[in-house]
Amino acid sequence: MVTHGKDLVRQIGVLSATSFMIIAALVGGGAFGGTPVQDLQDGALAEDGSVLAPAGPAFSIWSVIYVLLVGYAVWQALPGQRARSRQRALGWWIALSAVLNGCWLLLAQFTTLPLTVAGIVALLLVLCIAFQRTVAIPAEGLLDSLLIDGSTGLHLGWVSLATVANTSAWLTATGPSEWADAATVLGVTVLIVVGIIAVILAWASGWHIAPALALTWGLSWLAVGRLTGEPSDVAIGTTAIVIAVVVLLVTAVGKAADRVIDMRNAEA
């Protein structure tokens, strides 16, 4: 493939965006003396900030996502990746997702809850576009699949649930006290909608497993938070478990069925 100057610019852009994300994560997470995320916004973003907040250990998934994104940034900068059509289609979108990821932490640290919701919605939209492109242009090899499909899929799956939790935290912190009476019904309804969207996404993407894995992880810890922590809500916790099992099972079965069909077609 013919290499253009803009390919090198893209590679540098991805490296720069990823570096910004890591620095912003350190600043936004309180590593340089700032307030830890769980204490920001008067505790609204903590695991007990709303009925749709996952328990604390759920957020360890960020370590996996960050490692994959850093791995992608280094890998895409290699000369052999410079002119690949998949990198050209995805590089800037993944870079933008890294920038918005870092911006959310800065918004949480220095601005208001409504702005954090706007920030995470923007990140979600960018990840939807990036993931759609991973589906439209299939991976070639293990690294391609792991560092592009894996990082983008996990990022999308987790941010999908994080958007729900972030919005719930905002509404819980700013809404009238009467809303608390409807929290269980609304929470269960939202989780069911999330599950339906997740299954549709899995089907439309050819049963890509990464978004389902991240969403299942988050829903499982949401269930732990509601069944063993505060605020306690058995209905929401139970619903989260059921939705997590359904999403993961449907995706796994769909992917297995696709593999069987492919094998039969190859033998025909």
Side-chain angles (χ1 to χ4, degrees):
M1 293 184 181
V2 178
T3 301
H4 302 290
K6 60 185 179 182
D7 291 320
L8 180 59
V9 172
R10 185 196 66 247
Q11 289 178 304
I12 295 172
V14 172
L15 285 169
S16 301
T18 306
S19 299
F20 168 78
M21 178 188 72
I22 297 301
I23 294 170
L26 293 173
V27 173
F32 297 130
T35 306
V37 173
Q38 64 269 22
D39 298 326
L40 293 172
Q41 307 294 334
D42 296 323
L45 299 173
E47 60 183 300
D48 60 353
S50 77
V51 293
L52 293 179
F59 297 92
S60 62
I61 194 175
W62 279 122
S63 299
V64 179
I65 294 171
Y66 283 171
V67 167
L68 290 174
L69 285 173
V70 170
Y72 168 73
V74 173
W75 173 68
Q76 65 84 39
L78 297 176
Q81 297 298 317
R82 187 165 298 165
R84 285 189 60 213
S85 58
R86 200 170 200 237
Q87 300 290 7
R88 287 172 172 171
L90 280 156
W92 283 116
W93 288 105
I94 296 176
L96 182 56
S97 74
V99 169
L100 289 173
N101 185 308
C103 284
W104 183 89
L105 285 161
L106 297 179
L107 289 170
Q109 184 75 234
F110 301 114
T111 66
T112 63
L113 268 176
L115 287 178
T116 66
V117 174
I120 203 166
V121 168
L123 174 57
L124 179 63
L125 292 174
V126 167
L127 286 170
C128 286
I129 295 171
F131 185 69
Q132 185 276 328
R133 293 190 173 210
T134 69
V135 175
I137 308 173
E140 299 174 4
L142 179 60
L143 277 179
D144 211 344
S145 181
L146 177 65
L147 297 179
I148 293 183
D149 298 54
S151 65
T152 304
L154 288 178
H155 206 173
L156 173 61
W158 174 253
V159 169
S160 298
L161 187 62
T163 301
V164 170
N166 197 163
T167 304
S168 176
W170 170 44
L171 295 176
T172 300
T174 60
S177 58
E178 291 79 9
W179 287 9
D181 298 334
T184 297
V185 173
L186 289 174
V188 169
T189 302
V190 167
L191 291 178
I192 291 172
V193 172
V194 167
I196 292 171
I197 292 173
V199 170
I200 293 173
L201 175 65
W203 167 75
S205 68
W207 307 108
H208 278 53
I209 195 74
L213 289 175
L215 193 61
T216 298
W217 171 265
L219 287 169
S220 299
W221 283 108
L222 193 159
V224 170
R226 298 294 70 76
L227 296 176
T228 66
E230 295 295 335
S232 176
D233 196 307
V234 175
I236 289 178
T238 304
T239 302
I241 293 173
V242 172
I243 297 299
V245 171
V246 169
V247 168
L248 188 59
L249 186 61
V250 169
T251 305
V253 170
K255 191 167 187 65
D258 257 13
R259 289 271 180 92
V260 171
I261 292 171
D262 289 341
M263 290 174 61
R264 288 181 178 177
N265 289 338
E267 294 171 357

